[in-house]
Amino acid sequence: MSDDTMAPPTAAPAPEAAGELRDRRSVLRCAAMVALAGAGAPILAACGGGDDAGSAGTTGTSSAPTTSAPSSAPSSAPSSSAPATTASGTVLGPAADVPVGGGKVFTDAKVVVTQPAAGQYKGFSAVCTHQGNPVGSVEGGQIVCPFHNSHFSITDGSPVSGPAQTPLPAVNVAVQGTNIVQTA
């Protein structure tokens, strides 16, 4: 190759142009970060970190009837209050929030509690076994993961439909007074 066929080297931009490029790039970078943060906030809020390695165990049951007043919140809405810890375990919430034939997702504890039959409470990990996303609700007698539409049995956590092939791990729960408590 001869020197006349090569492109001339590019010169550095003038100080004024470099400042304009830096300012424009900063503005665009900031705008992109704000857009991503705004769009990603609901996703990040739904993706609590950590794993659920300690959730395996046997499922606890209780035949104690519930006597507290029904909650005004929808029973399938995830809980957002921080769980309280007692000497006997972690209080997940009122037993009255777990309807017969349904359940409740306790988001902060990453536990879903179901009541397949009156007075029979079952606990499962609220982390879908398909890709580790949080399950979202209990509908029509099934625990539902909204990310890829996996459905699990409220009785034993086994997959009913969707891509998940592994059951939700059991979590020990019991009724203590009027509350559902996650036990060791």
Side-chain angles (χ1 to χ4, degrees), residues 22-74:
R22 189 174 311 121
D23 289 342
R24 183 168 185 250
R25 285 183 184 145
S26 295
V27 169
L28 291 173
R29 190 177 302 121
C30 249
M33 290 173 65
V34 167
L36 287 173
I43 294 169
L44 292 175
C47 295
D51 62 30
D52 202 28
S55 66
T58 59
T59 303
T61 61
S62 171
S63 59
T66 59
T67 58
S68 62
S71 170
S72 60

Side-chain angles (χ1 to χ4, degrees), residues 3-128:
D3 286 338
D4 15 322
T5 59
M6 295 179 67
T10 56
E16 295 171 3
E20 288 175 18
L21 285 175
R22 189 174 311 121
D23 289 342
R24 183 168 185 250
R25 285 183 184 145
S26 295
V27 169
L28 291 173
R29 190 177 302 121
C30 249
M33 290 173 65
V34 167
L36 287 173
I43 294 169
L44 292 175
C47 295
D51 62 30
D52 202 28
S55 66
T58 59
T59 303
T61 61
S62 171
S63 59
T66 59
T67 58
S68 62
S71 170
S72 60
S75 61
S76 63
S79 168
S80 62
S81 60
T85 303
T86 67
S88 57
T90 304
V91 175
L92 298 174
D97 285 357
V98 183
V100 175
K104 171 124 174 122
V105 178
F106 294 95
T107 307
D108 291 343
K110 296 181 184 172
V111 173
V112 59
V113 178
T114 65
Q115 189 178 182
Q120 181 185 32
Y121 294 89
K122 303 278 187 167
F124 304 100
S125 168
V127 178
C128 182

